[in-house]
Amino acid sequence: MEALLIAAGVAFGAIFVGELGDKSQLMALTFATRYRLRTVILGLVIAIGALIGLSVGVGAAVGNLLPTDWIRLAAAVMFIGFGLWGLRGGQEVDDEDGPVKERRSGLLTVVTAMFLAEFGDKTMIIGMGLGSSYNGWGVWIGGTLGMLAADLLAVFAGAWVAKRIPEKVVRYVSSGLFLVIGVLLGIEAATALAG
């Protein structure tokens, strides 16, 4: 039990500090301006839990074999698509199916985008390194909670902004942020792939 708690504490601290100012916080803030708070939080829990779990399970040795630059390039394309989709404006949805469709698409968007954007990022590398040295369950629990805590700071800031700024402004700003994140991810991936 002591090894689990030590691993959880070390992972929480390392990943929390590593996430401060990272693109995942910007993404979480952006999602909070576009989707319901509970949808964003659930999406973050799923994506972060899966990401940290994968990084601990894979371990540092196998991490270098994964095509992270191609995955990052796919995430860049996806973010640019989200940004362009947001710029086209909101469309009315059927009252009967609207909220359910919005929750499903929002949850899928948050989970997929967070997972792909963070795949191969420093968070995953930290998780792999800690997973090879500490109790895996402890690293998974602590790492998941650390990343979630850092991203929730941004989520609540985004929710606050969304309540106080007109929807049209929020839509354009969040679409712009998606485009910026997509371009930055694309440049990072293209640079790594080129060489």
Side-chain angles (χ1 to χ4, degrees):
M1 184 66 162
E2 185 178 339
L4 180 108
L5 293 176
I6 290 170
V10 169
F12 180 91
I15 290 180
F16 179 81
V17 170
E19 283 300 300
L20 293 177
D22 193 49
K23 68 181 172 289
S24 67
Q25 281 191 309
L26 181 60
M27 291 166 38
L29 185 141
T30 304
F31 287 134
T33 64
R34 296 183 64 111
Y35 302 111
R36 289 187 179 100
L37 192 58
R38 67 177 173 241
T39 300
V40 174
I41 293 171
L42 179 59
L44 288 174
V45 168
I46 293 168
I48 292 168
L51 180 76
I52 301 296
L54 179 64
S55 65
V56 170
V58 168
V62 180
N64 295 331
L65 301 176
L66 299 173
T68 58
D69 296 326
W70 286 104
I71 292 170
R72 192 168 289 133
L73 187 60
V77 170
M78 190 171 77
F79 271 88
I80 291 169
F82 290 155
L84 294 174
W85 185 33
L87 288 176
R88 71 176 171 78
Q91 292 183 350
E92 296 299 319
V93 291
D94 184 27
D95 287 339
E96 188 175 311
D97 293 334
V100 174
K101 286 182 181 178
E102 180 183 327
R103 277 193 301 269
R104 286 182 188 155
S105 67
L107 181 63
L108 183 61
T109 298
V110 172
V111 170
T112 305
M114 287 296 291
F115 187 87
L116 287 177
E118 290 296 311
F119 193 88
D121 198 30
K122 66 183 173 199
T123 305
M124 193 167 185
I125 294 167
I126 291 169
M128 285 184 211
L130 292 174
S132 66
S133 304
Y134 291 93
N135 177 287
W137 287 106
V139 173
W140 179 68
I141 292 167
T144 299
L145 293 176
M147 187 171 177
L148 189 59
D151 289 346
L152 285 179
L153 293 173
V155 166
F156 292 121
W160 182 85
V161 166
K163 289 181 182 175
R164 286 161 180 77
I165 296 178
E167 181 183 341
K168 191 173 188 177
V169 171
V170 169
R171 187 176 76 234
Y172 286 128
V173 169
S174 66
S175 293
L177 289 173
F178 275 118
L179 290 169
V180 167
I181 293 169
V183 169
L184 292 175
L185 282 171
I187 291 170
E188 186 180 312
T191 303
L193 288 168

